Amino acid sequence: MNAAVFHEPGVVVVEDRPVPAVGPGDLLIKVRAASVCGTDLRISRHGHFKIAPGQHRVLGHEVAGEIVATGGPVVGYAVGDRVAVTPNVGCGRCGMCRRGLNNMCPDYEAFGVSLDGGFAEYLLVPAFAVQRGNVFGLPAGPPFGQAALAEPFSCCLRGVQAVGVGPQDDVLVVGAGPIGAFTVLLARLAGARRILVANRSRGRLDRIAGYGADTLIEVGDRDLVAAVRAETGGRGVDVAITAASSPQVQADAVQLLATHGRVNFFAGLGQGDPATPTTPRRWS
Ligand SMILES: [Zn+2]
Ligand SMILES: [Zn+2]
C-alpha cells in the first residue's frame, strides 16, 4: 500500500508498505479520507518527542474510512462499517483517564505519533484502541471528507464548552482557519451574543463570514488589542479563543477580556515559543 512516512524532520516519503497484519481484536480500516492537521505539519518539520530519532512513522490522525477486516469477532464492529477514528489512546488506568481525560494521559499512544496513522491506504486499529473507544460508527449521510473532520471538530466543541459560552457572551476568535471556523460555528450554536473574528488575511475572513461571525477584523499590522477595544467600545470580550499559534496573540487575548472574562489558548505554541506573561488589565 502507499503511505506517507515521516523519516526525519523535513523528510516525509511516500513509499510502498505492506498492508498491516490483523491480530485478535484489531480492526483494519480502508482509509477514505484523512485531513492534514497543524500537528502533522509540526511533526513533519520538527519531529515529535514520541518519535525516536531514526524511527519512521506514518503520519495522519484525522481519519474516516471503512472496516475491511476484523481480527476475529469484534463486538460492536463489522466489515463494511463506516467509521471515524479518534487519535489519542489513554492508558485507561491513570488519574487522568479515570476522570475521562484520556487526552491528558501521560502515557498516551496516538495514531500518527506513536502508532502508524492515516496517511496510508489502510490503518490498523489495534485491539487496545478498539476497546478504549477510539472507533466511532458514522451515520449514512456525511461524505468521508467531512467525517475525517470529526476529530478537530470535537476538539473545538470541547474548547467552546470549556469556557462556557452562552447567550450573554461576546466571543472573540483569533484566527480564521478551519479551527477558527469550527469555533465560530459552535459559539453560534451555543448562543453567543456577538462573535468577533480577527485574522491577518482578508480572504479567510470573507470565507468565515458564512459560519456565523458578526464582526470581521482584519488585523494586518493593526494592533489586535486596539482594534477589538474599538469594536467593543473599550469593554473587551467575555470569551477569547485563540486559533492562531502565537505567544503575542495569547498575551493580547488576555488583555482583551472584560470583567469575569474567560480565555482558551486553543492553538498550542511551537516548542521554541516562550510563554508570554499574560497579566489581565486591572479594573478599579
Ligand atoms: Zn489534529
Ligand atoms: Zn492514562
Side-chain angles (χ1 to χ4, degrees):
M1 66 174 184
N2 282 318
V5 185
F6 169 83
H7 283 220
E8 60 182 278
V11 181
V12 174
V13 180
V14 176
E15 59 189 34
D16 189 33
R17 286 200 152 195
V19 174
V22 185
D26 297 349
L27 298 176
L28 186 66
I29 313 257
K30 168 76 183 161
V31 177
R32 296 294 187 190
S35 45
V36 179
C37 175
T39 301
D40 296 307
L41 300 178
R42 266 199 299 279
I43 294 173
S44 65
R45 288 183 194 132
H46 307 294
H48 193 283
F49 73 95
K50 279 193 177 270
I51 305 175
Q55 200 176 12
H56 293 184
R57 176 68 63 228
V58 180
L59 300 180
H61 59 267
E62 301 172 1
V63 184
E66 285 169 88
I67 297 174
V68 290
T70 66
V74 180
V75 174
Y77 301 97
V79 169
D81 286 357
R82 291 158 43 91
V83 293
V85 181
T86 191
N88 283 47
V89 194
C91 74
R93 297 178 300 278
C94 73
M96 287 294 114
C97 285
R98 283 205 303 269
R99 288 161 64 179
L101 301 171
N102 61 310
N103 56 322
M104 297 284 143
C105 175
D107 296 318
Y108 75 97
E109 305 275 350
F111 294 100
V113 180
S114 64
L115 306 166
D116 281 333
F119 293 167
E121 291 177 76
Y122 295 91
L123 169 72
L124 182 77
V125 182
F128 72 89
V130 177
Q131 288 159 9
R132 286 178 212 159
N134 280 67
V135 181
F136 294 87
L138 291 171
F144 286 112
Q146 285 179 17
L149 297 172
E151 191 273 334
F153 191 78
S154 65
C155 295
C156 296
L157 173 61
R158 167 72 185 143
V160 169
Q161 288 175 333
V163 284
V165 174
Q168 292 175 305
D169 292 325
D170 290 353
V171 178
L172 169 68
V173 178
V174 187
I179 294 295
F182 290 157
T183 301
V184 167
L185 188 60
L186 288 160
R188 188 90 282 159
L189 289 169
R193 180 169 57 187
R194 182 184 180 195
I195 301 173
L196 307 93
V197 183
N199 197 70
R200 282 176 181 274
S201 98
R202 187 74 221 173
R204 283 193 155 183
L205 280 176
D206 288 340
R207 256 176 281 156
I208 213 169
Y211 288 77
D214 299 301
T215 306
L216 305 174
I217 303 169
E218 187 178 351
V219 182
D221 292 329
R222 196 170 154 211
D223 178 48
L224 176 67
V225 174
V228 174
R229 278 197 184 144
E231 280 291 345
T232 58
R235 177 180 172 275
V237 294
D238 303 287
V239 171
I241 300 175
T242 65
S245 177
S246 154
Q248 188 58 49
V249 163
Q250 291 191 351
D252 289 350
V254 172
Q255 294 306 312
L256 287 167
L257 294 178
T259 303
H260 198 55
R262 291 93 72 201
V263 65
N264 187 332
F265 295 151
F266 187 95
L269 298 180
Q271 262 179 338
D273 288 332
T276 307
T278 48
T279 311
R281 65 184 157 149
R282 297 189 96 77
W283 297 80
S284 51

